[in-house]
Amino acid sequence: MKKLALILGSLLVVGTVTQAKEIIAVPTPIVVEDTTIVQPVVVEDVSVVAQNQPTLRVTNVGQYIEIDNNAGGTDGNVGTMMLGNKIGLATENWKFAVMARKSWDADTDSGFGTTGSRIDLDAWRNFSTEAGSTYALGARWRQEESSDSFYLRTKYSAGLYSGYADARYVANEGSQNAYKFETMPLNVTVGPVTMGYYFEGAYGVGSGTLANKGININTTEHQLRAYFPIFKEGNLTATGEYRFGLHKENKTKETEDYKFAQMNRLQVALDYQYTQNLSFSTYYLYQITKKENKAPTANKYKYYGEFGLGWNYAF
C-alpha cells in the first residue's frame, strides 16, 4: 500500500508541473497581437502630410492715395493724384501681388485730367537656410500706357545685413528703350537703425525720339539712405527715412544733375494698427535738389513733395 501511495503521489506532482508549464506558455500569442496595433499609425501620418500641400490663399487687400507735387508749377496746379488698389496672395514658398493704379492731374482751375495708369504683377520665391538667413528671387511685369517693363529681382536678409537688386528692361512706345538697374547691395542694421548705399542707372538702346536726335538715355545716381524709428505709442508707430545725395549725372537732361550733398530728402510715416487685421498708414516726404544747370538764369533748386494715405487688411 505504501508503494502504491508513493507512486500515485509522484504521478500527481509530475502532472501538476506539466499543467503549470502549459499555463505559463499561454501568454505567447499576445506579442503577435501587439505588433498589429502599430500598423494603422503609418496611415494616419500619410494623411497629415497630404493636408500640408501648398494652396493659393489671399494674404491682404488694400488701397492708397498718393499726391505728388513739384513746386513752381502753373497757377492752380495741385500736382498728380493717384489711386491704387492692391491684393496679395501666397502659397507655402511663393508670394504674389497685384497692383492697379490710375493717375490724374489735379488743378483748381481746370479740374482733373487723366495722366495715365499702371499695373504691376509681382511674384517671389522665398528660400531659407539652416542658419536662419532668408533670400528670395522674383519677377515683375509693369504695364503703363506708353511702356512695358520686365523685372528680374532678388533680396536677402542675414543677421545684421540685408539688401536687394532690381534689373529691368523698359520697352517705350515712341521713345528709346532702356535697361535700368537699382540696388542697395549691403544694408547694415545697428540697433533700430538701418543704413545702406543706393545706386541707380539707366542706359538707352535702339532707336526712338531721343536716339534719332543723337541722344541716348544715360543716367547714374548714388545715394546714402537711412531708416529709423521715431516713436511708438500703443498701436501707433512713427518711422523715418533720410536720403543723402552723393552724385547724379543725367546726360539726357543736364538740368537733372546734382553733386555731393545737393540732394536731401526726409520722409515721416505713421502706421496705426486699428485691429489685429486692419491697419491705416500715412506719410509725407519733402525733397530739395540743387540742380547743376548750365544756363545762368535757370532755377537752381527743385522742390518736391509727396503725400500718401492708405489702408490694408491682412488675412
Side-chain angles (χ1 to χ4, degrees):
M1 292 295 293
K2 289 182 179 181
K3 290 182 178 181
L4 180 61
L6 182 59
I7 293 170
L8 291 174
S10 300
L11 292 173
L12 180 61
V13 171
V14 172
T16 303
V17 172
T18 303
Q19 184 179 6
K21 289 182 178 180
E22 293 176 355
I23 294 174
I24 293 172
V26 170
T28 304
I30 296 177
V31 178
V32 177
E33 293 176 359
D34 288 343
T35 57
T36 61
I37 296 175
V38 181
Q39 296 176 359
V41 177
V42 178
V43 177
E44 292 178 0
D45 288 342
V46 172
S47 64
V48 171
V49 173
Q51 294 175 1
N52 290 333
Q53 295 299 319
T55 56
L56 186 65
R57 64 187 186 279
V58 178
T59 58
N60 66 285
V61 294
Q63 288 182 307
Y64 71 90
I65 294 174
E66 178 184 325
I67 301 175
D68 302 346
N69 179 264
N70 289 299
T74 59
D75 293 339
N77 184 270
V78 177
T80 302
M81 181 177 179
M82 309 173 193
L83 174 63
N85 301 279
K86 302 183 297 182
I87 182 171
L89 305 100
T91 65
E92 184 177 3
N93 293 314
W94 284 87
K95 290 185 178 180
F96 305 94
V98 181
M99 190 282 296
R101 188 184 79 183
K102 192 77 174 178
S103 60
W104 301 265
D105 265 342
D107 195 293
T108 56
D109 295 332
S110 58
F112 289 86
T114 302
T115 59
S117 60
R118 172 183 291 181
I119 297 175
D120 284 349
L121 301 179
D122 292 339
W124 286 98
R125 175 66 166 88
N126 299 307
F127 303 88
S128 60
T129 65
E130 294 181 356
S133 303
T134 61
Y135 66 95
L137 299 175
R140 166 183 284 176
W141 172 62
R142 170 172 291 176
Q143 193 276 329
E144 297 178 286
E145 289 189 357
S146 59
S147 67
D148 287 274
S149 300
F150 306 92
Y151 289 68
L152 291 178
R153 317 178 72 189
T154 184
K155 58 184 176 180
Y156 75 94
S157 176
L160 301 177
Y161 307 102
S162 61
Y164 77 91
D166 287 353
R168 57 175 160 154
Y169 177 76
V170 183
N172 292 305
E173 181 180 348
S175 183
Q176 190 178 34
N177 300 337
Y179 291 106
K180 295 187 177 182
F181 180 76
E182 71 172 77
T183 182
M184 293 189 72
L186 185 63
N187 298 329
V188 181
T189 300
V190 180
V193 179
T194 298
M195 299 172 290
Y197 162 75
Y198 171 87
F199 170 79
E200 179 180 336
Y203 186 78
V205 293
S207 61
T209 305
L210 295 173
N212 294 337
K213 296 179 180 180
I215 303 173
N216 288 316
I217 297 173
N218 193 339
T219 304
T220 57
E221 184 171 7
H222 309 266
Q223 298 176 0
L224 294 178
R225 296 183 178 182
Y227 308 88
F228 50 90
I230 298 176
F231 72 84
K232 179 175 176 59
E233 185 66 32
N235 293 334
L236 182 64
T237 303
T239 57
E241 175 186 340
Y242 176 64
R243 299 183 183 184
F244 178 81
L246 297 175
H247 181 256
K248 180 178 181 180
E249 182 180 13
N250 188 336
K251 295 182 178 179
T252 307
K253 296 180 180 180
E254 295 173 345
T255 57
E256 297 297 323
D257 295 354
Y258 65 75
K259 294 183 179 180
F260 182 80
Q262 291 182 345
M263 190 284 289
N264 290 274
R265 172 170 170 166
L266 179 64
Q267 174 179 309
V268 176
L270 295 175
D271 292 279
Y272 182 71
Q273 194 70 37
Y274 183 69
T275 66
Q276 183 177 359
N277 304 96
L278 180 62
S279 62
F280 298 93
S281 62
T282 184
Y283 72 90
Y284 181 76
L285 68 85
Y286 197 73
Q287 177 176 311
I288 302 176
T289 306
K290 182 181 180 182
K291 300 179 292 184
E292 286 297 309
N293 297 341
K294 287 188 175 181
T297 58
N299 182 12
K300 286 287 186 181
Y301 290 91
K302 179 179 179 180
Y303 304 93
Y304 172 76
E306 184 176 310
F307 170 77
L309 180 67
W311 63 271
N312 184 74
Y313 189 89
F315 296 95

